[in-house]
Amino acid sequence: MSSTDPDLEMILADMRQEFIEHTRDKLELVEDEIEALRSGTGDCERNILEIKRIIHSIKGAGGSFGFPTISKVAHGLEDYLETTGDVSTVAGEDLLVFVNTITDILISGEEPDTDLAHMMLRSLPTGRRQSGVRALDKGSALMIMPRGVQRKIISQELAQLGYKVTIVDNAIEAIDMALTLKPDYVITTQVLERMTGIELAWVLQMFKMTRSVKVAVVTADEISDEALESLPPHTTLIKKGPRFSLELMSFIRKAGK
């Protein structure tokens, strides 16, 4: 059976339509949880957990049915919740922006083109300051780090400074996100599953759209002169230790100029 077989195309079209309908049903459930958050009539912790559960299922299915941007928007909502901090500072109106963006794609029935997808993703809300006041939008940051205290602290600090933070835990997904989002800078650990952080920086140099992206590679090892000489352009090595926060903030200030 060829890929152009009419029966196969019909089956794929039916599966795609089923995904659209099921996803719209799921988004209605998310909207109910958001309304409970906004009205204060529910259990905030439970509402957030349910939103995370539903959105995670949408993220996992989007790419399989030809809607990779839906997966990225859902990923963005997860990042928003991780970087916002305390549950009490989550803003219902922000969550609705993510839901409405996914809904718009579903209504169109088509995966948006590259430029539209980029615009949609860059316009999603950032995390908020602990006071609940939105920080000025200063750009976007891509983080490649495993789950842990350090990732949470850094991502929340960046969000409070006004950066839209996208978090992934592997280099392959990071490359895809970098090409889609065109972030202002990248922060990665040196130790990754498929390649090192320095190798990832070299890969980003290969693509025209990410060639000028500034990259910070976080390492626990001593930084030798040889390592510094092997760095690709726009790349900084930052060693974990007493001066880590100062050096990271210095990198961010320079990268934001």
Side-chain angles (χ1 to χ4, degrees), residues 21-31 54 57-58:
E21 293 172 2
H22 285 180
T23 302
R24 295 191 70 173
D25 290 342
K26 290 178 180 179
L27 291 178
E28 288 183 6
L29 296 176
V30 172
E31 288 176 343
I54 298 171
S57 70
I58 293 173

Side-chain angles (χ1 to χ4, degrees), residues 170-209:
N170 67 84
I172 303 304
E173 188 177 4
I175 294 167
D176 177 45
M177 281 292 190
L179 292 173
T180 302
L181 297 174
K182 307 181 185 80
D184 296 294
Y185 59 87
V186 171
I187 299 173
T188 178
T189 55
Q190 168 66 348
V191 180
L192 299 170
E193 284 188 16
R194 307 287 289 274
M195 63 184 73
T196 67
I198 292 176
E199 288 171 338
L200 173 60
W202 277 114
V203 170
L204 295 178
Q205 282 288 308
M206 296 171 60
F207 301 99
K208 182 178 180 181
M209 64 183 65

Side-chain angles (χ1 to χ4, degrees), residues 131-254:
S131 64
V133 178
R134 189 191 301 278
L136 294 174
D137 184 4
K138 293 184 179 178
S140 66
L142 175 61
M143 284 183 58
I144 307 94
M145 286 188 176
R147 288 187 179 277
V149 174
Q150 185 178 64
R151 178 174 108 170
K152 190 167 187 175
I153 291 173
I154 295 173
S155 64
Q156 289 184 7
E157 286 182 353
L158 292 175
Q160 289 181 15
L161 288 171
Y163 291 97
K164 186 189 309 299
V165 185
T166 300
I167 308 168
V168 298
D169 55 15
N170 67 84
I172 303 304
E173 188 177 4
I175 294 167
D176 177 45
M177 281 292 190
L179 292 173
T180 302
L181 297 174
K182 307 181 185 80
D184 296 294
Y185 59 87
V186 171
I187 299 173
T188 178
T189 55
Q190 168 66 348
V191 180
L192 299 170
E193 284 188 16
R194 307 287 289 274
M195 63 184 73
T196 67
I198 292 176
E199 288 171 338
L200 173 60
W202 277 114
V203 170
L204 295 178
Q205 282 288 308
M206 296 171 60
F207 301 99
K208 182 178 180 181
M209 64 183 65
T210 56
R211 193 166 295 155
S212 61
V213 172
K214 298 175 178 65
V215 180
V217 179
V218 178
T219 179
D221 299 326
E222 291 296 331
I223 302 172
S224 65
D225 291 339
E226 183 180 355
L228 291 172
E229 291 173 0
S230 70
L231 291 178
H234 315 299
T235 302
T236 301
L237 272 182
I238 301 177
K239 186 181 183 302
K240 293 180 181 179
R243 292 184 53 80
F244 173 73
S245 294
L246 289 175
E247 292 183 9
L248 181 61
M249 286 301 107
S250 176
F251 165 80
I252 291 168
R253 284 196 298 271
K254 292 176 182 178

